[in-house]
Amino acid sequence: MAQIFSYFALLALGLPFVSALAFTGAVGFGSIATGGTTPFVVTSLADSGTGTFRDAVSVSGRNITFAVSGYVVLASPVSLSSSLTINGQTAPSPGIGLMGREISASGKTNIIIRNLRMRQGNLDTDTGKSAFNMGTASNVILDHCSVEYGVFDSVDAVGAVNITVSNSIIALPIGQQFGAHLETGPATWYRNLWVSAHNRQPLTKANTQYINNVVYNYQAAYTVADTGGLFSHDLIGNYFIAGPSTTSASDDYFQMNANQKVFASGNFLDSNKNGVLDGAAANTVGSAVVSTAPWNSGSTGLATLTAAQAFTSVLASAGAAPRDSVDAFVVASVQSLGTSGAIITNQASTGLANNGYGTL
Ligand SMILES: *[C@@H]1O[C@H](CO)[C@@H](O)[C@H](O)[C@H]1NC(C)=O
Ligand SMILES: *[C@@H]1O[C@H](CO)[C@@H](O)[C@H](O)[C@H]1NC(C)=O
């Protein structure tokens, strides 16, 4: 009876029915993930073999920590098991990164990934793969991750259920030049920094919370691609900022058709590329039907920052810590507020060391 009561109490609050959060501070639909509990320590940066990342994620139920730091150069995609926690924040400075192939949680459930750098790049010759794939996965939370140089998408989440991506950098996709593609949902995108993509920041055919994100140097940002699906969207306190590659600043909301219900509040658009943060309110979302209240009653509670505060906070803390040269490059382009930044086709064109991957 008590459980039934709390279920309805949580429903009334718009919160998922959970007994514990994925971790302290976890928010949104993916926060119901519990991850793994069996300790496993990554002790090798090799691609495969005992003590490697690939070895660590091959068995479900693990709570993974890192005794090594640096890049793992992947020779083939890595497939995660279900019920895993990946604690990138436990790696010694300067942290842990994966480069060269896709990391996939496709079809899996109950996964927590924190403080991990996932940089596919053109070391991967498979143009059908993404930096991170969680297609048809459920109950997944990514927090403080840095996802760069994606080839198909940065984040592929078609058919994904109960997803959070928070406090993360999703930047510089090099192939289709897309950010994230999520279908099914529900999904929460919270305090992320999206930089220099052609489109899909995200493409979301799902009921969605999109709160306190910063999007810079986009060609198109938040989109549903004129889907025939009927979805609800809470868009609160986001900052869209045009950059050198932005051809039409009004594509901050893109292909938002009348099948969509949108609650939009406190969003800003800085369209003038003048090196100063001086945006104006931007709460008119294409042809979407205007909602006067959020579809999810938890959304207002998550939206604790104004768009201007989100800009400061997200630039200071999004992505994996400590911030490395790739993330610093991304953040510096945003700080130019319209005067620098490019949508690229090859990570090497960043001019960073290690063929553009930077060194860890
Ligand atoms: C998604 O989360 C809800 C609780 O909010 C839960 O009832 C449902 O079973 C979850 N879906 C999956 C596929 O685990
Ligand atoms: C998983 O490992 C992290 C890092 O050591 C620890 O803080 C956390 O409590 C562990 N979680 C569980 C469920 O064992």
Side-chain angles (χ1 to χ4, degrees), residues 62-281:
R62 286 180 171 167
N63 185 24
I64 298 164
T65 57
F66 295 82
V68 288
S69 64
Y71 265 124
V72 178
V73 184
L74 299 171
S76 62
V78 181
S79 186
L80 307 183
S81 301
S82 290
S83 298
L84 288 183
T85 305
I86 299 171
N87 298 288
Q89 74 279 7
T90 62
S93 183
I96 194 83
L98 302 163
M99 61 186 265
R101 294 292 186 280
E102 180 180 85
I103 293 93
S104 176
S106 176
K108 302 304 191 321
T109 188
N110 189 29
I111 295 174
I112 302 168
I113 305 179
R114 302 177 71 187
N115 221 90
L116 191 66
R117 300 163 185 81
M118 296 181 263
R119 296 175 177 149
Q120 185 186 13
N122 68 5
L123 272 185
D124 195 343
T125 52
D126 187 342
T127 54
K129 295 249 188 294
S130 302
F132 181 68
N133 177 3
M134 55 175 153
T136 68
S138 59
N139 307 338
V140 178
I141 183 164
L142 264 64
D143 187 66
H144 283 290
C145 288
S146 296
V147 185
E148 281 111 349
Y149 309 146
V151 176
F152 191 74
D153 282 300
S154 303
V155 176
D156 183 339
V158 175
V161 177
N162 295 339
I163 299 300
T164 294
V165 179
S166 55
N167 301 302
S168 292
I169 294 178
I170 301 170
L172 297 173
I174 63 168
Q176 297 200 94
Q177 301 170 320
F178 288 152
H181 180 183
L182 188 140
E183 298 190 15
T184 305
T188 305
W189 307 91
Y190 176 77
R191 296 194 186 183
N192 301 301
L193 183 59
W194 308 76
V195 180
S196 292
H198 167 59
N199 194 355
R200 301 188 182 175
Q201 308 186 82
L203 161 57
T204 178
K205 300 183 184 180
N207 292 341
T208 303
Q209 297 175 300
Y210 189 72
I211 297 172
N212 289 154
N213 293 274
V214 176
V215 189
Y216 179 69
N217 195 33
Y218 57 91
Q219 287 179 326
Y222 192 95
T223 186
V224 299
D226 286 333
T227 178
L230 312 175
F231 302 111
S232 296
H233 310 259
D234 291 340
L235 311 179
I236 312 176
N238 301 289
Y239 220 130
F240 301 90
I241 305 167
S245 314
T246 305
T247 39
S248 177
S250 59
D251 288 339
D252 49 354
Y253 306 116
F254 187 64
Q255 296 178 339
M256 295 296 294
N257 62 13
N259 292 332
Q260 313 309 312
K261 286 186 184 163
V262 172
F263 175 78
S265 172
N267 300 292
F268 274 69
L269 166 61
D270 184 351
S271 61
N272 61 15
K273 312 183 191 181
N274 68 347
V276 178
L277 189 68
D278 57 356

